[in-house]
Amino acid sequence: MQIKSARVIVTCPGRNFVTLKIEVEGGLTGIGDATLNGRELSVVSYLEDHVCPALIGKDARRIEDIWQFLYRGAYWRRGPVTMRAIAAVDVALWDIKAKAAKMPLYDLLGGKSRDRVMVYGHANGGDIDETVDAVGRYIEMGYKAIRAQTGIPGVKGAYGVGRGDLYYEPADAALPSETLWNTTSYLDYAPKLFEALRDRFGFDHHLLHDVHHRLTPIEAARLGKSLEPARLFWMEDCTPAENQEAFRLVRQHTVTPLAVGEIFNTIWDCKDLIGEQLIDYIRATIVGAGGVTGLRRIADYAAIYQVRTGCHGATDLSPVTLGTAVHFDSWVPNFGIQEYMRHTPETDAVFPHNYAFEDGYLLVGETPGHGVDIDEEEAAKYPYKPMQLPVARLEDGTMWNW
Ligand code: EZ4
Ligand code: CO
């Protein structure tokens, strides 16, 4: 089953997506997502200039060998660009293998461990009242788990606040927008949001919150402690995780469950976090961490330490990643939850798929492969648009973590 062609398709139905399409002799095709939000074209070049030519003629059945070839062969290991390129190849090859086997991908992975995949949606608002209303709308839509983010009065562009509708895209301009950050206001305001949410809705739903790398370890510990009465499902990215040891301090102080890893690329980024049981959920995802092959290694390692998965699933991960994740989540024994931000109707039209949302869960499709396709005519209607993620500064002008 030789690889005949490997092509990159870039489309922007509201936001940019990079997709790799591989075709093998005999005509089977598979697709993989290579989207790196705000730095898309670097992965396009990596694939087109360096990876695609080396794939031609290789046996598409040898997924593990091709993964090792691209990982070891780069010499410059890891990093978001390399690992997204590897993920795109890996997912396209799993898609092809499952189609050839006439199996949905979850079956090829070992079969279903569950019937449906619990997801969490994103509710946000300009202040506490708006956010409480937004959470109410998610509850009405059937969500069992909801991430809540609120704007902070006086802080311009606090993380996670949308622009008036249910869709939220942080990459909003050709050059980075400037936002402000104020830790004192945030640490005062955020716990009040969760108090208000529990007062209004009780404890029947899971609530989640994303700190988005903004706090120091001791501040994160304090927030975790002050959120304990709200019994969160998790507190995410409470402090930057380049230094995995930082989480020892947070862990010492709070029983609020911790989730980390949406920006991780390999098992090495989370080795100590998992091995020392410093986190409860690992957020690494298929497109970010080297495809099904890379993520499976992380998940199996995490299982030993009772760390569960919580795959990143923002809209900058294309329906190809989401669809593949639903297969992965259906199989993985130590599943926790799946992030789910609905894509726009334009995006859904470019990527026909067979996963479906029902009553707070995603249901996996039964067709062979990962169940997501790309309509190239539709994709061609939306040319690439430069869009970057925002940056954040403190009030005195100091650069901070966005
Ligand atoms: O801000 O994927 O948990 N979800 C997140 C995301 C990230 C975006 C960045 O591109 O933190 O919404
Ligand atoms: Co996040």
Side-chain angles (χ1 to χ4, degrees):
M1 201 193 267
Q2 283 195 349
I3 296 175
K4 214 169 70 182
S5 72
R7 277 191 300 122
V8 179
I9 302 156
V10 181
T11 181
C12 185
R15 63 166 344 291
N16 293 306
F17 294 111
V18 177
T19 308
L20 176 72
K21 185 168 189 170
I22 294 181
E23 185 179 350
V24 295
E25 270 174 4
L28 272 185
T29 60
I31 58 173
D33 179 21
T35 307
L36 179 56
N37 200 4
R39 295 290 187 272
E40 293 88 356
L41 297 185
S42 56
V43 193
V44 174
S45 160
Y46 194 106
L47 282 166
E48 286 182 341
D49 297 329
H50 309 292
V51 172
C52 293
L55 293 176
I56 308 303
K58 284 207 172 353
D59 184 347
R61 293 173 302 184
R62 297 182 63 172
I63 299 178
E64 185 65 51
D65 183 65
I66 291 174
W67 197 99
Q68 299 290 339
F69 172 85
L70 294 173
Y71 183 80
R72 293 170 198 269
Y75 183 65
W76 317 104
R77 293 181 184 202
R78 311 200 272 164
V81 177
T82 293
M83 296 312 291
R84 266 172 166 79
I86 293 177
V89 174
D90 184 78
V91 168
L93 294 179
W94 277 103
D95 193 23
I96 289 170
K97 191 185 274 289
K99 284 176 181 171
K102 299 191 168 46
M103 286 181 188
L105 178 58
Y106 70 77
D107 241 345
L108 196 58
L109 290 171
K112 279 186 189 176
S113 299
R114 61 196 52 77
D115 302 321
R116 46 193 192 156
V117 167
M118 184 169 71
V119 298
Y120 71 91
H122 282 210
N124 54 66
D127 58 21
I128 289 177
D129 287 345
E130 274 182 41
T131 308
V132 171
D133 289 346
V135 168
R137 289 198 292 278
Y138 273 83
I139 290 173
E140 277 166 28
M141 287 188 276
Y143 284 82
K144 307 289 178 256
I146 300 142
R147 183 187 102 156
Q149 306 291 138
T150 176
I152 305 167
V155 179
K156 179 190 140 211
Y159 167 77
V161 181
R163 282 182 295 268
D165 57 24
L166 287 170
Y167 300 105
Y168 156 69
E169 285 301 343
D172 60 355
L175 293 174
S177 307
E178 298 248 341
T179 64
L180 266 190
W181 183 247
N182 183 319
T183 296
T184 309
S185 309
Y186 171 72
L187 285 178
D188 179 49
Y189 201 68
K192 292 180 185 149
L193 167 66
F194 288 91
E195 215 181 292
L197 286 169
R198 288 310 190 193
D199 276 354
R200 169 91 167 262
F201 301 113
F203 284 82
D204 288 347
H205 298 86
H206 297 301
L207 293 178
L208 299 81
H209 183 63
D210 192 348
V211 183
H212 224 254
H213 326 273
R214 307 261 169 126
L215 300 178
T216 65
I218 197 67
E219 290 163 353
R222 189 172 129 210
L223 180 64
K225 252 186 151 165
S226 58
L227 289 173
E228 279 172 13
R231 291 181 244 149
L232 293 198
F233 186 91
W234 78 35
M235 173 170 82
E236 175 184 340
D237 286 335
C238 61
T239 195
E242 287 101 323
N243 176 16
Q244 300 181 37
E245 290 166 21
F247 281 75
R248 282 192 202 136
L249 190 148
V250 183
R251 200 59 155 175
Q252 260 169 19
H253 291 287
T254 181
V255 295
T256 294
L258 304 177
V260 179
E262 68 183 36
I263 65 173
F264 290 174
N265 306 131
T266 73
I267 199 164
W268 300 104
D269 295 328
C270 42
K271 179 175 146 292
D272 300 338
L273 286 170
I274 292 171
E276 293 185 37
Q277 293 177 279
L278 302 178
I279 57 173
D280 301 280
Y281 296 93
I282 180 67
R283 303 252 310 128
T285 190
I286 284 163
V287 66
V292 170
T293 301
L295 190 62
R296 192 171 58 170
R297 276 195 258 284
I298 294 174
D300 277 342
Y301 175 60
I304 301 173
Y305 299 99
Q306 300 189 53
V307 172
R308 290 186 284 167
T309 64
C311 285
H312 188 209
T315 42
D316 47 299
L317 283 55
S318 92
V320 181
T321 287
L322 183 63
T324 311
V326 178
H327 283 267
F328 188 89
D329 298 340
S330 295
W331 159 72
V332 71
N334 48 325
F335 172 73
I337 199 167
Q338 170 68 48
E339 183 178 21
Y340 174 50
M341 278 174 84
R342 286 154 308 118
H343 290 104
T344 59
E346 292 79 11
T347 298
D348 283 339
V350 170
F351 296 97
H353 54 261
N354 63 7
Y355 55 82
F357 176 82
E358 197 185 289
D359 200 28
Y361 294 83
L362 278 173
L363 306 179
V364 70
E366 297 297 332
T367 53
H370 57 43
V372 187
D373 206 348
I374 184 162
D375 180 332
E376 293 196 47
E377 257 176 52
E378 204 57 35
K381 290 183 191 164
Y382 307 104
Y384 169 77
K385 252 172 73 182
M387 288 201 274
Q388 294 198 41
L389 288 167
V391 293
R393 288 186 190 275
L394 304 182
E395 275 154 348
D396 68 356
T398 307
M399 281 299 308
W400 200 243
N401 310 314
W402 173 74

